[in-house]
Amino acid sequence: MEIFLLPKINMQQDDLAKIALKQEEHEFYTPMPAGYQKGRTKFVVVVGTVMSGLGKGIFSSSLGKLLQDNGLKCVPIKMEGYLNLDSGTLNPYRHGEVFVLDDGTECDMDLGTYERTLESDLTRDSFITSGQIFSKIFEKERKGEYLGRDVQIIPHVTGEIKWHLRNLAQKSGADIILVEVGGTIGDIENSHYIESLRQLNYEEGESNVCFVALTYIAQPNTLGEQKSKPAQLGIRLLLEAGIQPHLVACRSEKPTSEKVREKISIYTNVPMERVFSMHDVESIYTIPQLLNEVHVDDEILRILKIKKKKNAESSSWHAFASKLGKKSQKVTIGIAGKYTDLRDSYASIIKALEHAGISNGVAVEIDWIDVTEIERNKKKPFDLLAKIDGLIVPGGFGKRGAEGKIACVRFARENKIPYLGICLGFQMALIEFARNVLGLEDAHTTEIDHKTPHPVVCILPSQKNIKGLGGSMRLGGRDLHILGKSQAFNIYSGKKKIRERFRHRYECNPEYIKKFEEKGMIFSGFAPKEEGEIMQILELPDHPFFIGTQFHPEFTSRPLSPQPLFVHLVATAMKRKG
Ligand code: GLN
């Protein structure tokens, strides 16, 4: 049941629960999740000003980490302005990688940053888009749930957004919900979120909502000094929207000067100790520490009137970040993908390699391999791969670059270069093996050549009748079995059952499994019987490290618990380098 909240000073929770006002008689329309208790969970809201690209996701997740290190349960939510229902159909070129949660949600890559930093699995409740909110509104309108009222941005859209935030608060039992508003203040796309948050602040009452404005401190080369004007103007937009920030985080290249902080303080009504520098640092892992040093956590806890449950300095993250230093040894891992000129498309792979490097005590350098150069006969695999110590063929879709990738896989197999094939990279390894070891010329995936005489990779039976693109893949976390005595079994520390995340439509054609096995390929990971005969890991025993996975191991790698396949890829690459 939903109740409607009529804010009054000092109103008791019980009174609230008793009020079920008829919405047509009042202007207060705030649907509340049943049993919601105001003030039980607090909200910290991060809003970007001036411009995008300031690293709002990294800042917000570092802030979340710091609050978590104070012993508080902190659950993030990212609110996207676009009208898509999720990120599944977005082009990685424009939006960076599509991150996949365990529950199958296809979302913004920032959720990956949150999962890695907060070391927790998130659910679809931590990601909303305007498309989701509006489609819920339209559904309700068609069902007649608005009882003859005209449906409006205020109060209905804003009401839906507030309901979502409170629902997450209640469901998660968090101490703090960390709200990241996508885009920048002033965007039409996020104006309904901003207005909802203004209302949320009003309704939740004092000490329950804390606003942090992330802003930009310009330093034009011609002047050589920091200027606060863009920041002042940006924050003014927030004030115009009825939101008084409690803290201002200044993104600057060098530490923000005292003078600039003073100016911002005067123009925004934020005391000096709550206007802090967020300058560039060498490693993002030290940002929580940086925030802790200027007492951002203490200020937030004071604003929200909550007590810390432990000292941030004693956290394992703090210990991890403190021992990061320059590595003397280096390995080079080649990534042969389609979007190699846009690094955000492979954000999680880059992170997983970084984690694996830290755990092996080595710096991992990435060599982006443009496989189309092989297809255009400009280069041979040797020219591109001679310098690398290991190779990854990442996930992908479609025809472009496929032949180049297959040529690279062959080179890695024949020259014993450590190889990790991810999703499409698993499928490319099957095709290469079929063509060059099984002698099945023209073997292919039906995704690229639906008339191939040897469809060694074909569409999953469950995918055959699905129409439309969004959310239609085999998605999310799934359990899989590991074959005893295999390389995978050793790499996963003797576990017989693991869980990894998927995002695909095609699979190894079951009719060819025997043929592959006869020539020495081992399928060391497979789906539980009830899901069908789906091969999930392949390996070659006569190779130091040749592994393909139908899943995406990069989505589950975290700094403090690096993904084992990446750790072994880097370790074998180090051995090869000698
Ligand atoms: N295009 C392939 C499929 O749909 C691989 C997908 C991927 O690499 N994520 O199965």
Side-chain angles (χ1 to χ4, degrees):
M1 189 196 69
E2 288 180 346
I3 60 164
F4 297 89
L5 167 81
L6 178 62
K8 274 188 199 156
I9 292 170
N10 294 332
M11 187 174 245
Q12 296 304 308
Q13 299 303 340
D14 286 355
D15 297 334
L16 283 177
K18 277 181 214 143
I19 301 170
L21 293 170
K22 285 196 191 124
Q23 57 172 312
E24 67 266 29
E25 290 167 13
H26 292 274
E27 286 307 310
F28 292 109
Y29 172 82
T30 293
M32 302 279 272
Y36 180 77
Q37 281 186 28
K38 198 167 83 167
R40 213 213 129 276
T41 298
K42 314 264 178 167
F43 297 85
V44 172
V45 181
V46 177
V47 184
T49 71
V50 184
M51 63 183 201
S52 61
L54 297 179
K56 186 151 37 85
I58 291 174
F59 169 72
S60 307
S61 52
S62 302
L63 192 60
K65 184 76 206 171
L66 182 59
L67 295 169
Q68 195 184 53
D69 285 350
N70 275 275
L72 300 163
K73 180 169 180 191
C74 185
V75 174
I77 173 167
K78 169 106 199 243
M79 309 205 296
E80 288 284 12
Y82 50 69
L83 293 172
N84 306 61
L85 291 182
D86 57 37
S87 309
T89 55
L90 296 181
N91 182 345
Y93 246 132
R94 285 179 63 99
H95 294 272
E97 93 181 348
V98 177
F99 192 79
V100 180
L101 301 181
D102 189 78
D103 67 9
T105 305
E106 295 173 288
C107 56
D108 184 80
M109 55 186 268
D110 273 351
L111 277 272
T113 311
Y114 284 117
E115 282 207 341
R116 287 187 282 270
T117 315
L118 299 177
E119 295 166 274
S120 52
D121 287 348
L122 301 177
T123 67
R124 63 182 67 249
D125 293 329
S126 282
F127 181 66
I128 52 172
T129 67
S130 297
Q132 282 172 30
I133 297 290
F134 285 119
S135 75
K136 223 169 144 189
I137 298 268
F138 297 146
E139 208 177 292
K140 281 191 181 174
E141 190 272 337
R142 288 293 84 183
K143 283 192 196 150
E145 285 186 24
Y146 294 107
L147 309 173
R149 258 201 75 150
D150 46 337
V151 185
Q152 295 178 294
I153 300 286
I154 305 171
H156 301 103
V157 171
T158 50
E160 203 61 60
I161 295 166
K162 287 181 289 178
W163 184 91
H164 195 97
L165 292 172
R166 287 175 168 132
N167 184 49
L168 176 61
Q170 194 174 23
K171 240 167 125 177
S172 65
D175 295 306
I176 292 177
I177 297 293
L178 182 69
V179 186
E180 181 192 338
V181 186
T184 309
I185 178 79
D187 294 348
I188 290 178
E189 281 82 2
N190 64 20
S191 53
H192 44 283
Y193 291 134
I194 299 287
E195 170 58 14
S196 311
L197 291 161
R198 185 196 64 75
Q199 294 177 17
L200 185 82
N201 182 37
Y202 163 61
E203 292 168 2
E204 291 288 308
E206 216 179 305
S207 310
N208 288 334
V209 182
C210 168
F211 287 99
V212 185
L214 181 71
T215 196
Y216 177 60
I217 306 302
Q219 186 164 3
N221 277 341
T222 42
L223 296 177
E225 63 167 332
Q226 293 180 333
K227 303 300 282 178
S228 66
K229 185 69 86 193
Q232 289 175 38
L233 295 176
I235 298 169
R236 187 180 295 168
L237 284 178
L238 201 56
L239 293 166
E240 280 170 14
I243 291 177
Q244 167 65 60
H246 298 87
L247 292 112
V248 178
C250 304
R251 279 291 292 119
S252 50
E253 204 181 311
K254 302 265 154 49
T256 311
S257 71
E258 180 119 344
K259 198 172 120 196
V260 163
R261 285 175 47 233
E262 279 173 1
K263 270 206 175 153
I264 291 175
S265 171
I266 289 170
Y267 283 100
T268 60
N269 323 310
V270 180
M272 269 297 272
E273 63 274 24
R274 292 182 181 169
V275 180
F276 55 94
S277 174
M278 266 294 303
H279 47 275
D280 291 354
V281 283
E282 211 152 283
S283 158
I284 58 161
Y285 299 120
T286 58
I287 298 176
Q289 235 164 300
L290 186 78
L291 296 173
N292 176 244
E293 278 160 23
V294 288
H295 309 293
V296 173
D297 43 353
D298 293 339
E299 293 300 331
I300 292 182
L301 299 189
R302 207 165 288 143
I303 291 158
L304 296 176
K305 296 206 174 91
I306 37 179
K307 288 208 172 66
K308 61 169 75 178
K309 296 180 188 161
K310 66 178 209 237
N311 268 334
E313 292 80 3
S314 62
S315 73
S316 47
W317 187 274
H318 198 278
F320 161 80
S322 312
K323 63 170 201 264
L324 292 175
K326 283 236 174 320
K327 311 274 178 307
S328 51
Q329 217 190 331
K330 184 189 94 180
V331 291
T332 307
I333 304 290
I335 299 185
K338 181 155 104 175
Y339 301 111
T340 47
D341 43 354
L342 200 83
R343 310 288 137 94
D344 273 359
S345 316
Y346 302 108
S348 293
I349 294 184
I350 298 173
K351 282 288 148 199
L353 282 172
E354 189 178 294
H355 307 157
I358 294 169
S359 106
N360 279 295
V362 64
V364 178
E365 197 160 276
I366 293 173
D367 193 5
W368 297 97
I369 296 175
D370 182 0
V371 287
T372 56
E373 292 201 324
I374 299 176
E375 292 182 353
R376 285 183 276 130
N377 279 329
K378 281 197 167 168
K379 289 205 170 136
K380 297 248 168 310
F382 175 81
D383 308 325
L384 293 170
L385 307 180
K387 287 193 317 282
I388 62 167
D389 309 307
L391 177 68
I392 290 179
V393 172
F397 296 82
K399 187 173 176 207
R400 195 160 69 85
E403 288 305 321
K405 287 175 196 172
I406 293 167
C408 288
V409 176
R410 178 176 193 174
F411 189 84
R413 181 177 57 78
E414 291 179 346
N415 293 285
K416 310 264 188 244
I417 297 176
Y419 174 72
L420 178 60
I422 298 175
C423 204
L424 185 74
F426 165 94
Q427 299 169 357
M428 294 290 121
L430 287 171
I431 296 165
E432 189 280 317
F433 199 82
R435 288 184 189 175
N436 302 316
V437 181
L438 305 189
L440 304 174
E441 220 180 294
D442 298 328
H444 224 315
T445 162
T446 53
E447 179 182 5
I448 295 173
D449 176 5
H450 62 270
K451 290 202 191 110
T452 168
H454 304 293
V456 290
V457 176
C458 63
I459 194 130
L460 284 156
S462 59
Q463 299 293 317
K464 273 195 181 130
N465 299 319
I466 295 177
K467 302 235 161 23
L469 283 181
S472 62
M473 283 184 261
R474 182 170 179 261
L475 281 168
R478 284 162 191 272
D479 293 336
L480 54 131
H481 296 295
I482 302 285
L483 188 75
K485 295 206 185 103
S486 61
Q487 257 197 71
F489 184 74
N490 291 336
I491 290 172
Y492 279 100
S493 317
K495 287 194 190 120
K496 288 224 159 118
K497 205 167 138 194
I498 58 164
R499 189 171 178 82
E500 291 286 358
R501 296 186 194 172
F502 293 80
R503 182 172 187 251
H504 68 124
R505 289 196 180 86
Y506 296 82
E507 62 161 335
C508 168
N509 187 341
E511 286 173 21
Y512 288 85
I513 294 172
K514 271 232 148 56
K515 291 194 177 79
F516 280 117
E517 287 175 337
E518 277 162 16
K519 289 285 178 188
M521 184 174 274
I522 292 175
F523 290 104
S524 52
F526 40 91
K529 281 226 159 50
E530 54 285 10
E531 280 194 51
E533 210 177 10
I534 314 179
M535 297 300 110
Q536 325 260 250
I537 304 180
L538 66 79
E539 58 186 68
L540 296 178
D542 59 352
H543 191 289
F545 185 101
F546 189 99
I547 290 194
T549 64
Q550 186 57 82
F551 52 83
H552 289 265
E554 70 273 25
F555 290 148
T556 48
S557 185
R558 296 184 181 157
L560 300 185
S561 48
Q563 212 287 341
L565 291 166
F566 282 90
V567 173
H568 277 78
L569 171 73
V570 170
T572 331
M574 280 165 75
K575 251 191 228 149
R576 177 184 163 85
K577 200 175 176 197

